[in-house]
Amino acid sequence: MLASHPPAQALRLWMDLFAEWQAAKHGMTGTLLAMIDSGEISLAHTRQELLSAITTILDAGASAGDIRADAHADDVSASILGMLAVAAKSGEPAQARRLLDLLMDGLRPR
């Protein structure tokens, strides 16, 4: 995404893709837990991949000046996951988009 979009736009598009993946994953909870139990996937590895993707975009955004330089991947990840969890419980898909837009506003330089 960074190759074809400015970093802030790439991050927002990535958030939408992650939200779609998260929604699909919600229906596969039992399967995912079985895969974790069997060792097929690792929570630590998955978390590291998530943080690495976010860090790459945040670093590019900080360099370009369109994402705050003090944004941390751990904080962005926790924010996204929390927002998606709340939106999933609300039953209103548009809420996730609105919350992610608010997060993006907070990630713009002051």
Side-chain angles (χ1 to χ4, degrees):
M1 277 187 222
L2 279 173
S4 56
H5 301 287
Q9 184 181 11
L11 180 59
R12 186 61 185 85
L13 291 169
W14 181 88
M15 287 179 183
D16 286 337
L17 291 173
F18 184 78
E20 290 172 19
W21 177 82
Q22 183 77 8
K25 184 182 95 157
H26 182 70
M28 304 183 320
T29 302
T31 302
L32 289 171
L33 290 174
M35 292 175 75
I36 291 167
D37 287 344
S38 72
E40 286 183 63
I41 59 173
S42 159
L43 286 178
H45 183 292
T46 302
R47 184 175 190 282
Q48 189 53 47
E49 285 182 353
L50 174 66
L51 294 177
S52 178
I54 294 170
T55 298
T56 298
I57 299 173
L58 290 178
D59 289 348
S63 293
D66 64 353
I67 295 177
R68 294 169 53 156
D70 63 342
H72 296 275
D74 283 336
D75 298 336
V76 172
S77 171
S79 297
I80 293 170
L81 292 171
M83 290 173 173
L84 294 178
V86 166
K89 289 188 186 269
S90 78
E92 184 187 352
Q95 185 180 35
R97 289 188 300 277
R98 291 191 311 266
L99 291 170
L100 294 173
D101 285 342
L102 287 170
L103 175 59
M104 280 307 304
D105 286 346
L107 289 170
R108 297 190 198 292
R110 296 178 186 175

mmCIF file of all heavy atoms in Angstrom, residues 6 8 13 22 28 30 37 43-44 46 59-62 68 71 74 76 85-86 88 94-96 99 108 110:
data_model
loop_
_atom_site.group_PDB
_atom_site.id
_atom_site.type_symbol
_atom_site.label_atom_id
_atom_site.label_comp_id
_atom_site.label_asym_id
_atom_site.label_seq_id
_atom_site.Cartn_x
_atom_site.Cartn_y
_atom_site.Cartn_z
ATOM 1 N N PRO A 6 0.067 7.702 -0.110
ATOM 2 C CA PRO A 6 0.801 8.379 0.959
ATOM 3 C C PRO A 6 0.605 7.599 2.260
ATOM 4 O O PRO A 6 -0.418 6.929 2.443
ATOM 5 C CB PRO A 6 0.141 9.756 1.037
ATOM 6 C CG PRO A 6 -0.617 9.926 -0.236
ATOM 7 C CD PRO A 6 -0.960 8.546 -0.714
ATOM 8 N N ALA A 8 -0.302 8.144 5.415
ATOM 9 C CA ALA A 8 -1.529 8.268 6.203
ATOM 10 C C ALA A 8 -2.695 7.570 5.508
ATOM 11 O O ALA A 8 -3.488 6.869 6.140
ATOM 12 C CB ALA A 8 -1.861 9.730 6.472
ATOM 13 N N LEU A 13 -6.268 2.745 4.870
ATOM 14 C CA LEU A 13 -6.701 1.624 4.032
ATOM 15 C C LEU A 13 -6.344 0.290 4.696
ATOM 16 O O LEU A 13 -7.133 -0.654 4.679
ATOM 17 C CB LEU A 13 -6.059 1.713 2.643
ATOM 18 C CG LEU A 13 -6.553 2.858 1.761
ATOM 19 C CD1 LEU A 13 -5.660 2.992 0.528
ATOM 20 C CD2 LEU A 13 -8.002 2.653 1.365
ATOM 21 N N GLN A 22 -10.485 -9.022 10.740
ATOM 22 C CA GLN A 22 -10.919 -9.245 12.120
ATOM 23 C C GLN A 22 -12.365 -9.734 12.157
ATOM 24 O O GLN A 22 -12.703 -10.642 12.914
ATOM 25 C CB GLN A 22 -10.765 -7.956 12.928
ATOM 26 C CG GLN A 22 -11.106 -8.082 14.387
ATOM 27 C CD GLN A 22 -10.008 -8.769 15.173
ATOM 28 O OE1 GLN A 22 -8.929 -9.023 14.683
ATOM 29 N NE2 GLN A 22 -10.293 -9.080 16.413
ATOM 30 N N MET A 28 -14.424 -17.455 13.095
ATOM 31 C CA MET A 28 -13.553 -18.627 13.073
ATOM 32 C C MET A 28 -12.831 -18.823 14.395
ATOM 33 O O MET A 28 -11.801 -19.471 14.461
ATOM 34 C CB MET A 28 -12.503 -18.469 11.965
ATOM 35 C CG MET A 28 -13.062 -18.243 10.598
ATOM 36 S SD MET A 28 -11.800 -18.143 9.290
ATOM 37 C CE MET A 28 -10.480 -17.213 10.010
ATOM 38 N N GLY A 30 -13.216 -20.674 17.054
ATOM 39 C CA GLY A 30 -12.933 -22.055 17.443
ATOM 40 C C GLY A 30 -11.796 -22.655 16.647
ATOM 41 O O GLY A 30 -10.900 -23.310 17.200
ATOM 42 N N ASP A 37 -3.628 -24.020 19.795
ATOM 43 C CA ASP A 37 -3.358 -25.169 20.671
ATOM 44 C C ASP A 37 -2.452 -26.194 20.008
ATOM 45 O O ASP A 37 -1.612 -26.795 20.656
ATOM 46 C CB ASP A 37 -4.669 -25.845 21.101
ATOM 47 C CG ASP A 37 -5.450 -25.026 22.111
ATOM 48 O OD1 ASP A 37 -4.858 -24.094 22.721
ATOM 49 O OD2 ASP A 37 -6.651 -25.303 22.286
ATOM 50 N N LEU A 43 0.480 -16.888 18.782
ATOM 51 C CA LEU A 43 -0.002 -15.538 19.080
ATOM 52 C C LEU A 43 1.134 -14.529 19.057
ATOM 53 O O LEU A 43 0.981 -13.417 18.565
ATOM 54 C CB LEU A 43 -0.705 -15.518 20.432
ATOM 55 C CG LEU A 43 -2.080 -16.160 20.492
ATOM 56 C CD1 LEU A 43 -2.632 -16.106 21.907
ATOM 57 C CD2 LEU A 43 -3.041 -15.481 19.540
ATOM 58 N N ALA A 44 2.285 -14.914 19.596
ATOM 59 C CA ALA A 44 3.429 -13.992 19.625
ATOM 60 C C ALA A 44 3.875 -13.653 18.205
ATOM 61 O O ALA A 44 4.168 -12.494 17.899
ATOM 62 C CB ALA A 44 4.579 -14.600 20.417
ATOM 63 N N THR A 46 2.041 -13.813 15.419
ATOM 64 C CA THR A 46 0.990 -13.017 14.788
ATOM 65 C C THR A 46 1.045 -11.575 15.277
ATOM 66 O O THR A 46 0.939 -10.632 14.494
ATOM 67 C CB THR A 46 -0.391 -13.632 15.081
ATOM 68 O OG1 THR A 46 -0.399 -14.980 14.589
ATOM 69 C CG2 THR A 46 -1.503 -12.854 14.430
ATOM 70 N N ASP A 59 6.503 4.629 10.457
ATOM 71 C CA ASP A 59 7.817 5.198 10.141
ATOM 72 C C ASP A 59 7.782 5.989 8.834
ATOM 73 O O ASP A 59 8.339 7.091 8.742
ATOM 74 C CB ASP A 59 8.884 4.099 10.063
ATOM 75 C CG ASP A 59 9.238 3.509 11.414
ATOM 76 O OD1 ASP A 59 8.833 4.080 12.457
ATOM 77 O OD2 ASP A 59 9.914 2.459 11.432
ATOM 78 N N ALA A 60 7.116 5.428 7.831
ATOM 79 C CA ALA A 60 7.003 6.137 6.550
ATOM 80 C C ALA A 60 6.198 7.425 6.734
ATOM 81 O O ALA A 60 6.550 8.466 6.164
ATOM 82 C CB ALA A 60 6.344 5.242 5.507
ATOM 83 N N GLY A 61 5.148 7.355 7.532
ATOM 84 C CA GLY A 61 4.326 8.543 7.781
ATOM 85 C C GLY A 61 5.064 9.618 8.548
ATOM 86 O O GLY A 61 4.920 10.809 8.264
ATOM 87 N N ALA A 62 5.860 9.202 9.517
ATOM 88 C CA ALA A 62 6.655 10.177 10.280
ATOM 89 C C ALA A 62 7.672 10.850 9.356
ATOM 90 O O ALA A 62 7.862 12.071 9.417
ATOM 91 C CB ALA A 62 7.351 9.494 11.450
ATOM 92 N N ARG A 68 2.072 11.457 13.063
ATOM 93 C CA ARG A 68 2.870 11.909 14.203
ATOM 94 C C ARG A 68 4.091 11.015 14.416
ATOM 95 O O ARG A 68 3.993 9.795 14.369
ATOM 96 C CB ARG A 68 2.021 11.884 15.465
ATOM 97 C CG ARG A 68 0.893 12.872 15.469
ATOM 98 C CD ARG A 68 -0.056 12.641 16.590
ATOM 99 N NE ARG A 68 0.627 12.593 17.887
ATOM 100 C CZ ARG A 68 0.025 12.850 19.033
ATOM 101 N NH1 ARG A 68 -1.255 13.140 19.051
ATOM 102 N NH2 ARG A 68 0.687 12.794 20.162
ATOM 103 N N ALA A 71 3.919 8.420 17.496
ATOM 104 C CA ALA A 71 2.960 7.310 17.494
ATOM 105 C C ALA A 71 3.723 5.990 17.596
ATOM 106 O O ALA A 71 4.729 5.792 16.922
ATOM 107 C CB ALA A 71 2.125 7.336 16.217
ATOM 108 N N ASP A 74 2.475 -0.281 19.231
ATOM 109 C CA ASP A 74 1.714 -0.924 20.311
ATOM 110 C C ASP A 74 0.437 -0.146 20.619
ATOM 111 O O ASP A 74 -0.622 -0.746 20.831
ATOM 112 C CB ASP A 74 2.541 -1.010 21.603
ATOM 113 C CG ASP A 74 3.575 -2.107 21.575
ATOM 114 O OD1 ASP A 74 3.402 -3.074 20.817
ATOM 115 O OD2 ASP A 74 4.549 -2.003 22.338
ATOM 116 N N VAL A 76 -1.170 2.051 18.623
ATOM 117 C CA VAL A 76 -2.074 2.023 17.471
ATOM 118 C C VAL A 76 -2.771 0.664 17.403
ATOM 119 O O VAL A 76 -3.982 0.584 17.209
ATOM 120 C CB VAL A 76 -1.321 2.342 16.162
ATOM 121 C CG1 VAL A 76 -2.215 2.135 14.945
ATOM 122 C CG2 VAL A 76 -0.787 3.771 16.198
ATOM 123 N N ALA A 85 -13.391 -4.228 18.656
ATOM 124 C CA ALA A 85 -14.145 -5.038 19.626
ATOM 125 C C ALA A 85 -15.436 -4.329 20.016
ATOM 126 O O ALA A 85 -16.498 -4.951 20.081
ATOM 127 C CB ALA A 85 -13.290 -5.320 20.859
ATOM 128 N N VAL A 86 -15.359 -3.036 20.264
ATOM 129 C CA VAL A 86 -16.544 -2.261 20.634
ATOM 130 C C VAL A 86 -17.532 -2.231 19.471
ATOM 131 O O VAL A 86 -18.738 -2.439 19.655
ATOM 132 C CB VAL A 86 -16.141 -0.822 21.052
ATOM 133 C CG1 VAL A 86 -17.349 0.091 21.120
ATOM 134 C CG2 VAL A 86 -15.408 -0.851 22.375
ATOM 135 N N ALA A 88 -17.864 -4.336 17.030
ATOM 136 C CA ALA A 88 -18.446 -5.663 16.790
ATOM 137 C C ALA A 88 -19.631 -5.902 17.720
ATOM 138 O O ALA A 88 -20.639 -6.478 17.318
ATOM 139 C CB ALA A 88 -17.390 -6.741 16.978
ATOM 140 N N ALA A 94 -20.863 0.609 10.543
ATOM 141 C CA ALA A 94 -20.393 1.970 10.281
ATOM 142 C C ALA A 94 -19.633 2.541 11.478
ATOM 143 O O ALA A 94 -18.796 3.423 11.317
ATOM 144 C CB ALA A 94 -21.559 2.871 9.912
ATOM 145 N N GLN A 95 -19.917 2.024 12.675
ATOM 146 C CA GLN A 95 -19.221 2.532 13.854
ATOM 147 C C GLN A 95 -17.724 2.260 13.762
ATOM 148 O O GLN A 95 -16.924 3.116 14.140
ATOM 149 C CB GLN A 95 -19.791 1.939 15.133
ATOM 150 C CG GLN A 95 -19.143 2.572 16.365
ATOM 151 C CD GLN A 95 -19.672 2.026 17.665
ATOM 152 O OE1 GLN A 95 -19.996 0.839 17.772
ATOM 153 N NE2 GLN A 95 -19.770 2.872 18.660
ATOM 154 N N ALA A 96 -17.338 1.113 13.262
ATOM 155 C CA ALA A 96 -15.914 0.796 13.127
ATOM 156 C C ALA A 96 -15.224 1.825 12.237
ATOM 157 O O ALA A 96 -14.151 2.323 12.576
ATOM 158 C CB ALA A 96 -15.721 -0.614 12.575
ATOM 159 N N LEU A 99 -14.901 5.145 14.135
ATOM 160 C CA LEU A 99 -13.862 5.077 15.177
ATOM 161 C C LEU A 99 -12.465 5.095 14.569
ATOM 162 O O LEU A 99 -11.564 5.771 15.083
ATOM 163 C CB LEU A 99 -14.065 3.827 16.039
ATOM 164 C CG LEU A 99 -15.298 3.840 16.940
ATOM 165 C CD1 LEU A 99 -15.513 2.460 17.555
ATOM 166 C CD2 LEU A 99 -15.185 4.906 18.012
ATOM 167 N N ARG A 108 -2.582 12.332 13.097
ATOM 168 C CA ARG A 108 -2.041 13.404 12.237
ATOM 169 C C ARG A 108 -1.164 14.333 13.090
ATOM 170 O O ARG A 108 -1.441 14.552 14.272
ATOM 171 C CB ARG A 108 -3.161 14.180 11.591
ATOM 172 C CG ARG A 108 -3.989 13.309 10.671
ATOM 173 C CD ARG A 108 -4.965 14.101 9.829
ATOM 174 N NE ARG A 108 -6.015 13.258 9.278
ATOM 175 C CZ ARG A 108 -5.846 12.321 8.354
ATOM 176 N NH1 ARG A 108 -4.651 12.106 7.869
ATOM 177 N NH2 ARG A 108 -6.856 11.605 7.910
ATOM 178 N N ARG A 110 0.413 17.466 14.923
ATOM 179 C CA ARG A 110 -0.245 18.624 15.550
ATOM 180 C C ARG A 110 0.152 19.888 14.857
ATOM 181 O O ARG A 110 1.177 20.074 14.348
ATOM 182 C CB ARG A 110 0.141 18.700 17.022
ATOM 183 C CG ARG A 110 -0.366 17.516 17.759
ATOM 184 C CD ARG A 110 0.051 17.568 19.193
ATOM 185 N NE ARG A 110 -0.365 16.319 19.816
ATOM 186 C CZ ARG A 110 -0.079 15.981 21.033
ATOM 187 N NH1 ARG A 110 0.612 16.785 21.790
ATOM 188 N NH2 ARG A 110 -0.488 14.845 21.535
#
